[in-house]
Amino acid sequence: MNSERTPVFLMANLGTEVFRILTAEKQGDQEAVLAANSRAQNILDALKENLEMYSREGELTLLSTALSDYISDNKKLAIKGTSLRAYFLPFMIRATMVSH
């Protein structure tokens, strides 16, 4: 199994944390939402440090802002959970295919 922290690996793990945010939100577990968001933000930081992702720093910053807004009580963006799932699903599928 390849456990190298490639951008695809990190994006798949970021997707996992986003799915955890959505699940915890649905269950009304604010503590789990905040914990998953913290892990997601750490992954985003790791992605920003990856040389392969320098050209996508704007997209990563937007993702960070979108996640922060999504969990906020004072939402300014109209981001839906279904949109977040749809964005991350291809990364998760690709990472699964690469690891086998």
Side-chain angles (χ1 to χ4, degrees):
M1 184 169 152
N2 181 7
S3 62
E4 182 184 352
R5 295 184 176 263
T6 65
V8 171
F9 173 84
L10 291 169
M11 288 297 289
N13 281 284
L14 179 58
T16 299
E17 294 305 332
V18 169
F19 281 34
R20 286 180 179 147
I21 289 169
L22 299 174
T23 300
E25 179 192 45
K26 193 176 219 179
Q27 295 172 343
D29 187 345
Q30 189 62 16
E31 187 175 319
V33 168
L34 295 174
N37 183 62
S38 178
R39 291 187 300 270
Q41 296 298 335
N42 288 337
I43 294 169
L44 282 163
D45 290 343
L47 280 162
K48 287 179 183 178
E49 293 173 6
N50 188 299
L51 293 174
E52 293 178 48
M53 298 298 286
Y54 278 163
S55 65
R56 298 180 74 181
E57 187 173 354
E59 180 180 356
L60 296 172
T61 299
L62 182 59
L63 279 171
S64 177
T65 301
L67 289 177
S68 294
D69 185 77
Y70 184 81
I71 68 164
S72 170
D73 290 334
N74 302 321
K75 293 178 180 19
K76 296 178 183 175
L77 305 173
I79 297 172
K80 296 181 180 179
T82 54
S83 297
L84 290 171
R85 284 182 193 273
Y87 179 87
F88 286 104
L89 189 58
F91 294 106
M92 296 174 78
I93 291 169
R94 183 169 173 209
T96 301
M97 294 173 77
V98 170
S99 69
H100 286 108

